[in-house]
Amino acid sequence: MSPIIALQPVTNAKTVSNRIIGGALLLLIAVTLAACGNKEKAAGQSLAKVDGQEITVLQLNDELQHAGDLQKFTKRQILDGLIDRQLLVAAALSEKIDRDPLIMQAIERDKAQILAQAYLRKKAPSIVKPSTLDVEAFYQKNPDLFSQRKQYELRELIIDSRNQSPELVALMGSAKSLDEVATWLESKKVEFAPTHVARTSVDLGPDIAKIMKTMARGQLFTINEGPRSILIVLQEVKDTPVTVQAAAAQIEQFLINKTNKDAEAAEVAHLHATAKIEYLNEGLLGKEKVAPVAAAMPVADKGTAANHIDRGVAGLK
């Protein structure tokens, strides 16, 4: 199970205002583009005027559609947030902040992203619900996700990767328990944070899930996550199978998403094929090291210095 970050519930208008203000740059883009094209604001029933500029029901509804978490707040609170944002945008325009080179660059970047996404949505294929046979075929091809799904109970010690010494690597290969490792860390005055988590083979990703299937209870291993390293012991493995009936809705959505992504990739490939693309001044890019994809997660054999997993794109979180 992926970790859940608990956020404090907020119900005051100030928080709504802050959330809406967070989108001020996008409104600045809209205002700037509208000013350049001298277009009239879409007609709608006015809810407020800010120095003569209307805020309409259409704007309020649009805010609700594009920020689902705001739906727990009252419309009045959201309207107050829109007023705050309009005041800030107007102040920014009056000080010509929209002409700042960095702001202009940000506006162009976001404008390009919005247009690119809109184009892909326009070209997206009509959504066709996957057939029962498609769902069952996917279910059968992925037993680790469904019929043979497992849950792994893990104890972890999280340390700064700079403390990942050869001595510690050797200890992880010879220690009989994670408590022994914790005692050694304390003796060396190495700070660590203990945790206890449960993750299914779905959470792990296919590569690490395959590795975990070969591990025995009580086995120690390490995962590197950039600035931190996680020293782990596998405490328990439980079978948690899911039937095709229970997984059908999830599989259908996955297949729909995959169809859309494949269509997007095909459209981008088509645009590449029909465009003239030239790379210029490649020396300005410098020499970049590209890690080979196949070297994502080397694993040491059992009984050697350590069962060491270098975390790739997918893996434990």
Side-chain angles (χ1 to χ4, degrees), residues 4 21 38 40 83 111-112 117 131 143 187 220 231 259 261 293 305 307 310:
I4 298 175
I21 288 170
N38 195 28
E40 294 183 2
I83 291 172
K111 174 185 173 184
Q117 291 176 347
S131 67
S187 70
L220 304 180
L231 315 177
T259 297
K261 289 181 180 179
V293 176
N307 294 300
D310 287 331

Side-chain angles (χ1 to χ4, degrees), residues 22-279:
L25 177 57
L26 291 180
L27 183 57
L28 181 58
I29 295 171
V31 171
T32 303
L33 294 178
C36 293
N38 195 28
K39 296 179 180 179
E40 294 183 2
K41 183 181 291 187
Q45 188 175 358
S46 296
L47 294 174
K49 279 188 178 182
V50 181
D51 293 329
Q53 293 292 321
E54 292 185 354
I55 296 177
T56 68
V57 172
L58 291 179
Q59 289 174 272
L60 180 68
N61 291 339
D62 183 70
E63 198 71 36
L64 286 168
Q65 289 178 358
H66 290 86
D69 64 328
L70 292 181
Q71 293 184 9
K72 60 186 177 182
F73 299 105
T74 67
K75 291 183 178 180
R76 177 55 185 268
Q77 289 174 325
I78 297 173
L79 175 59
D80 288 340
L82 286 170
I83 291 172
D84 290 346
R85 188 167 72 183
Q86 181 61 45
L87 288 169
L88 286 172
V89 170
L93 293 174
S94 69
E95 296 188 13
K96 297 182 172 54
I97 291 177
D98 59 316
R99 299 183 188 180
D100 180 287
L102 292 178
I103 298 301
M104 292 176 68
Q105 186 177 12
I107 289 173
E108 286 302 313
R109 180 177 63 249
D110 287 342
K111 174 185 173 184
Q113 183 69 20
I114 290 168
L115 289 174
Q117 291 176 347
Y119 176 83
L120 289 174
R121 283 196 298 270
K122 181 179 180 181
K123 294 294 182 177
S126 300
I127 297 177
V128 177
K129 184 178 180 180
S131 67
T132 301
L133 290 178
D134 291 334
V135 171
E136 291 179 350
F138 185 86
Y139 179 90
Q140 296 298 333
K141 288 180 181 178
N142 296 276
D144 288 343
L145 302 182
F146 306 110
S147 61
Q148 297 177 23
R149 189 174 73 169
K150 296 182 182 300
Q151 178 173 295
Y152 301 93
E153 302 284 340
L154 308 170
R155 272 188 63 206
E156 303 176 343
L157 303 177
I158 303 173
I159 65 170
D160 189 314
S161 291
R162 291 173 295 185
N163 293 319
Q164 181 75 293
S165 63
E167 190 177 3
L168 176 57
V169 172
L171 179 63
M172 283 293 291
S174 62
K176 293 183 171 56
S177 70
L178 200 62
D179 290 332
E180 182 180 341
V181 177
T183 300
W184 182 88
L185 291 173
E186 289 174 346
S187 70
K188 298 296 182 180
K189 300 189 183 318
V190 175
E191 294 185 357
F192 62 89
T195 63
H196 187 180
V197 298
R199 305 190 190 280
T200 69
S201 47
V202 178
D203 302 320
L204 299 176
D207 294 322
I208 292 184
K210 183 178 180 180
I211 294 169
M212 293 290 287
K213 287 176 67 175
T214 67
M215 291 186 177
R217 292 175 178 82
Q219 189 166 349
L220 304 180
F221 60 100
T222 303
I223 290 180
N224 287 336
E225 289 191 320
R228 70 176 191 168
S229 293
I230 308 177
L231 315 177
I232 307 172
V233 62
L234 175 58
Q235 285 193 308
E236 188 63 51
V237 182
K238 300 177 182 177
D239 292 324
T240 56
V242 177
T243 66
V244 65
Q245 292 80 9
Q250 181 184 3
I251 294 173
E252 286 177 1
Q253 190 58 55
F254 173 85
L255 293 176
I256 290 172
N257 292 343
K258 184 177 185 302
T259 297
N260 288 334
K261 289 181 180 179
D262 290 344
E264 290 178 3
E267 182 60 29
V268 172
H270 168 71
L271 294 175
H272 268 263
T274 56
K276 182 180 179 180
I277 300 174
E278 300 177 77
Y279 290 97

